[in-house]
Amino acid sequence: MAVVWCVGLTTLDVVHRAPARPGRDEKVTATRQDVAAGGPAANAAVTAAALGADAVLVTALGSGPVATAARGDLEAHGVRVHDVVAPGEDFPLAVSAVLVDHATGERSVVSADAALATAPAPAPGGLAALPAPDVVLLDGHHPALARAVLAVGEAAQSRPRVVLDAGRWRPVFADLLPAADVAALSAVFAVPGHDDAAAGARALGARQVVVTHGPDPVEWSAGGRSGTVDVPRVEARDTLGAGDAFHGALAAALARGEALPEACAVAAGVASARVAHVGPRSWLDHLPAAIR
């Protein structure tokens, strides 16, 4: 079984679906409510597990009630959680307030992400006890975790492939891009000092680059070759976590040995399945049979 480590942020998402966004000083009534673990690394791990990978989430949770709810959701969906917070200690896990517009499927998110506290570095030997990864996915949150995992990978007898989820520029990416075998950029990602984000990522050391454009074709470049992959057309009903699903599927496909263009095609199909269904987890029952 392919092993994927997803390293970074976990939150607890409280998701409301409503017929419209509230205006200033206005309240609207939701038509649906869901509570699930969120965050780029956590959602990617859920996706990788659904695709048959041994998905390990290296993150900071703690033992508080918010963390307990997030951990329960992750474990229920087959994710192996490696919490770097010492047993019995609390950690201020972010609670994300999410509104999904029923008419368009677009989501609005307010979250502290990883700004509430600095995650501790993993305990010595803790990562070594985990199954060796084929692919490591980094989301750029909790930099101490990313750096510790990269150090473990460099020291390993067989270095895992590193995939970087680069949605928004953060200073830590200047350190992480040189380690990235595949940098997966969103269309709005920007590298300071570079007009072209993909060229900027390669200039900082990324060896292969993927750029997503929502429902439009995915661009990829690797080893002097480049191309695009079409995204299956679906009615967008819920876009929350679509990028995370793409990255989790990309990592799982690469861990199975798929070439980059084929892995992008798998990831595009999974992301389309995500946006076609309402709710943070119900879409997992509708993954395309060909890529399960």
Side-chain angles (χ1 to χ4, degrees), residues 76-261:
H77 289 90
V79 175
R80 187 194 307 243
V81 178
H82 181 76
D83 186 5
V84 299
V85 180
E89 290 189 10
D90 200 359
F91 183 81
L93 198 73
V95 176
S96 299
V98 183
L99 176 66
V100 178
D101 189 319
H102 181 76
T104 66
E106 296 172 319
R107 89 287 190 268
S108 301
V109 183
V110 178
S111 179
D113 290 336
L116 297 177
T118 300
L127 296 178
L130 298 174
D134 298 293
V135 168
V136 166
L137 172 68
L138 309 175
D139 71 7
H141 294 282
H142 297 319
L145 304 191
R147 294 186 177 106
V149 166
L150 287 178
V152 169
E154 290 297 335
Q157 188 172 19
S158 178
R159 177 187 177 276
R161 201 167 185 181
V162 176
V163 177
L164 182 61
D165 167 2
R168 295 175 287 168
W169 174 263
R170 287 186 291 278
V172 70
F173 284 132
D175 296 332
L176 300 183
L177 278 166
D181 295 292
V182 179
L185 317 181
S186 73
V188 299
F189 185 80
V191 178
H194 295 268
D195 294 330
D196 182 279
R202 286 191 292 269
L204 287 175
R207 286 164 281 288
Q208 300 179 346
V209 176
V210 172
V211 184
T212 58
H213 299 273
D216 295 325
V218 177
E219 301 175 70
W220 62 268
S221 60
R225 299 169 55 233
S226 62
T228 61
V229 171
D230 288 336
V231 176
R233 293 291 175 179
V234 296
E235 178 187 0
R237 303 190 65 202
D238 190 338
T239 63
L240 178 65
D244 306 338
F246 180 94
H247 298 131
L250 180 69
L254 292 172
R256 291 197 304 266
E258 301 279 1
L260 186 62

Side-chain angles (χ1 to χ4, degrees), residues 43-73:
N43 282 330
V46 168
T47 303
L51 293 173
D54 184 355
V56 178
L57 175 63
V58 181
T59 191
L61 283 179
S63 60
V66 173
T68 299
R71 185 191 299 272
D73 175 61

Side-chain angles (χ1 to χ4, degrees), residues 11 14 21 28 34 36 48 57 75 90 150-151 183 198 207 238 253 264 267 284:
T11 64
V14 180
R21 291 181 173 88
V28 298
D34 293 280
L57 175 63
E75 292 179 345
D90 200 359
L150 287 178
R207 286 164 281 288
D238 190 338
C264 286
L284 296 170

